[in-house]
Amino acid sequence: MASFAKATAIEALDSHTYLANFPDDWCIGNVPHGGFVTSCFLAATALHFSTTHASLNQPHTITLHLTFLRRNAVGQARFSFRDMKLGRRTSTVHVALTQGDEKNAEPCVVGYLTQSNLQTETGVSLSTSWQLFPPPVSLKSTKALREGEDENWVHSVGEHARFRKASQKTRWWVPRQGQREPGVADEWLCWADGGKSTQSALGVIVDQFPQLVEIYPGTQPLDAFGNDVDAEKKRGRKPNWYPTVLLNLDVKKALPEEGVDWLFVRVRAKKIQNGRMDLEVVVLDEGGDLVAISNHVCLILDADRNMKRSEKTKGVDDKKRRSKL
């Protein structure tokens, strides 16, 4: 079982090429978890700017846009960088993730990331009236969460743990009386191994939440263990797979270098239709300060689409093959 730090370890091949290794236990089915892949992009970019462009002093990704072209696979992954713009306040790079034979490999994920320094940036700052609506249910304390003593929040055990291996890396607490409205899910989240959430972990954090399709209409009560009281009716139901088409990330705040234990996450879908949905993910710290906003476009597919290994997934180069997604 690979810890987050070990699983996202990045090795530099040269000034603009980096290697990662995607382990099986960070997968959904046979495919590496999209949030984990996003965290690897963040980790590779942080290394690129701490080495190749160290003089710029831009350690933080402030924006990220990823397009997932083809499924990833367990094993070695290569990140190739192109410096699109290097500036005093912000710099932007294009990053392509490929797997398989280097000469014939096609990009699996491509993205643009913008770097800056969240600790030294200055400029106009104004308060706004923005707040979460409906407001989250009140929290006694995160200590009470962990000890099961909060009257409003309860630890949730997600369905299909063997299929959603990556989802077991975090623990989350959800409203005891069910989510506030359809298409919305709130959670308090921490790492299952006791680790802390750092800046590169935001990729995982914005992609770890109760699946809105599976908890719809989102008002079912939970038992004392955080499980759906109607779970018996659902037992034996096949899992869905929700592959990411694109993922955007807007980082508002630098987390402490040592990381934080807890983060609050709200995910909301505005429209779920024809096997496709949007997701808006808002991340707050324990003090209620906005840490990051993320937007996703996802497909809703049967898990069988995930589990059918392509030749490329087995490690055989297959340049002519095109994704069926």
Side-chain angles (χ1 to χ4, degrees), residues 93-264:
V93 292
H94 175 274
V95 187
L97 165 61
T98 57
Q99 292 187 278
D101 180 6
E102 180 181 353
K103 293 183 179 180
N104 298 316
E106 294 177 311
C108 300
V109 187
V110 294
Y112 284 90
L113 295 89
T114 299
Q115 294 291 114
S116 187
N117 191 320
L118 289 167
Q119 296 172 335
T120 63
E121 64 178 0
T122 59
V124 175
S125 299
L126 300 171
S127 298
T128 71
S129 60
W130 177 85
Q131 58 184 336
L132 289 177
F133 186 84
V137 297
S138 61
L139 173 72
K140 183 177 180 180
S141 69
T142 52
K143 181 176 183 292
L145 279 184
R146 195 182 294 276
E147 295 176 355
E149 296 178 354
D150 192 293
E151 61 183 12
N152 292 325
W153 296 85
V154 64
H155 179 237
S156 177
V157 180
E159 290 186 273
H160 310 298
R162 293 182 63 184
F163 177 69
R164 297 183 179 136
K165 297 183 288 291
S167 296
Q168 310 311 306
K169 300 295 185 177
T170 58
R171 301 177 68 199
W172 57 67
W173 280 254
V174 298
R176 189 179 294 273
Q177 296 304 315
Q179 300 294 345
R180 304 300 292 273
E181 60 183 47
V184 175
D186 288 346
E187 64 175 347
W188 282 97
L189 180 147
C190 69
W191 289 91
D193 63 1
K196 294 179 180 289
S197 292
T198 58
Q199 214 68 15
S200 62
L202 287 175
V204 172
I205 298 300
V206 300
D207 203 16
Q208 290 275 52
F209 40 75
Q211 296 298 339
L212 297 182
V213 171
E214 295 169 20
I215 65 170
Y216 191 89
T219 55
Q220 71 273 24
L222 303 175
D223 64 21
F225 300 99
N227 300 311
D228 182 354
V229 296
D230 293 325
E232 284 297 327
K233 298 178 183 178
K234 300 177 181 178
R235 197 173 302 279
R237 182 181 64 183
K238 288 185 177 181
N240 288 327
W241 178 37
Y242 306 96
T244 305
V245 177
L246 69 82
L247 187 153
N248 294 325
L249 181 63
D250 175 3
V251 181
K252 302 294 190 182
K253 179 179 181 177
L255 296 172
E257 189 171 339
E258 68 275 13
V260 297
D261 292 317
W262 294 90
L263 288 168
F264 173 86

Side-chain angles (χ1 to χ4, degrees), residues 273-321:
Q273 184 173 326
N274 297 330
R276 180 166 57 90
M277 62 180 172
D278 60 273
L279 296 174
E280 178 190 57
V281 184
V282 176
V283 182
L284 309 180
D285 62 16
E286 279 194 65
D289 198 15
L290 182 61
V291 174
I293 302 169
S294 182
N295 288 278
H296 308 204
V297 175
C298 302
L299 302 180
I300 307 169
L301 302 176
D302 189 278
D304 288 344
R305 293 284 295 276
N306 173 299
M307 300 303 289
K308 293 178 180 177
R309 289 180 179 268
S310 65
E311 289 182 4
K312 185 174 182 180
T313 306
K314 295 176 182 177
V316 179
D317 178 62
D318 191 8
K319 182 179 180 181
K320 295 181 180 179
R321 187 180 183 90

